[in-house]
Amino acid sequence: MSAVARKRRTRLRRADVEASPARRRGRPPRLSRERIVDSVLSLIDREPAEAVTIARVAAEVGASPGALYRHFENLDDLLDSVVASVLADVAADPKIDTPWERQLEEWMHTLRAQLLRVPALLSLIGRTGRTSPAWLNASSVLLEILERAGLAGDSLAITYLWILETTTGLILQEAALPVSDQLANARASKEELHDTAAARFNAVSSALETIDGDRFFSFVVQQAISAVSRRKG
């Protein structure tokens, strides 16, 4: 081979290397349950309206769908693990030496914090005709707290449902539109109210300006504590 031919061949090889995709450097990140769970959290944060499927999760972690089944039995098992990871603090046993009022307050605030952090999680809790056991584990802590407060039977059941449904409903509303934005939107529409409605709101307009999501939720918690106290009495 002539010197000219060798130089031309070298240039062609160099061009092929530069034009080809970058080679992998080192081993790819090891696939684990934790990494897969984190990938689902990334998916629902980025595209909360899209259904989570094994195929989408596999693409997110750069693995084949079959590889996920080495870590999870099925999609329900995977999504239950995602719910459990987010609600780990909510499912923690209440402190025995803490009054039930404080236990209830901490449980409600912790639930709010976690669901506001991952609002799309609620779409994973009830699906395909089943409720995630991880959600039931977390909400069972509320039952224990109410039992410690002295509730039992029908009173325990209805109070549990009332607090759970009220709390999650308010959190969903707050995640969709924070309290501060709700009040700002109301102010923007104030000029369009009829006189009677405007006069009613004038009586509380200055007080409403001082309310934010944290203060409103703390009020809700105190109402729940008061309601439990009345029912156990």
Side-chain angles (χ1 to χ4, degrees):
M1 182 183 295
S2 67
V4 173
R6 284 197 298 270
K7 288 182 179 179
R8 182 172 181 274
R9 187 172 181 179
T10 300
R11 286 198 300 271
L12 288 174
R13 286 178 175 174
R14 185 177 301 155
D16 287 341
V17 171
E18 292 175 352
S20 64
R23 294 181 178 179
R24 292 185 303 173
R25 295 181 179 179
R27 291 184 177 182
R30 182 180 179 183
L31 196 60
S32 63
R33 286 178 66 93
E34 292 76 15
R35 184 173 166 231
I36 296 169
V37 165
D38 287 343
S39 74
V40 176
L41 291 172
S42 297
L43 279 175
I44 64 177
D45 179 63
R46 190 170 66 245
E47 299 173 312
E50 296 294 325
V52 178
T53 64
I54 290 291
R56 289 187 67 217
V57 177
E60 183 76 7
V61 297
S64 67
L68 270 61
Y69 288 109
R70 300 190 191 104
H71 300 274
F72 300 94
E73 292 184 8
N74 49 41
L75 182 59
D76 284 335
D77 184 28
L78 168 55
L79 297 184
D80 288 343
S81 297
V82 174
V83 175
S85 72
V86 176
L87 298 182
D89 290 341
V90 184
D93 291 335
K95 299 173 184 176
I96 297 177
D97 58 347
T98 302
W100 70 264
E101 295 91 342
R102 181 60 178 165
Q103 291 175 350
L104 180 56
E105 180 181 14
E106 290 180 352
W107 187 88
M108 292 178 68
H109 278 290
T110 303
L111 179 62
R112 174 178 178 250
Q114 296 308 313
L115 291 185
L116 287 181
R117 182 172 68 88
V118 190
L121 189 78
L122 285 172
S123 66
L124 307 183
I125 290 173
R127 54 183 301 278
T128 62
R130 67 189 290 277
T131 299
S132 171
W135 171 251
L136 296 176
N137 288 337
S139 67
S140 73
V141 175
L142 175 59
L143 280 171
E144 180 177 340
I145 294 170
L146 296 178
E147 283 184 308
R148 289 183 178 181
L151 301 188
D154 181 72
S155 184
L156 171 62
I158 200 166
T159 304
Y160 158 79
L161 283 177
W162 174 71
I163 292 177
L164 188 64
E165 295 297 315
T166 300
T167 304
T168 53
L170 287 173
I171 296 169
L172 272 176
Q173 175 66 27
E174 184 178 3
L177 190 65
V179 172
S180 57
D181 290 348
Q182 294 178 43
L183 296 175
N185 291 350
R187 285 195 301 272
S189 301
K190 189 175 179 180
E191 299 302 322
E192 301 175 39
L193 298 178
H194 59 69
D195 293 343
T196 302
R200 292 167 180 157
F201 277 106
N202 283 338
V204 295
S205 58
S206 60
L208 286 173
E209 295 291 335
T210 68
I211 300 174
D212 59 14
D214 290 340
R215 183 183 172 194
F216 176 62
F217 193 78
S218 292
F219 171 80
V220 171
V221 171
Q222 292 307 311
Q223 297 310 300
I225 292 172
S226 296
V228 173
S229 295
R230 290 193 299 271
R231 292 194 69 84
K232 80 187 187 87

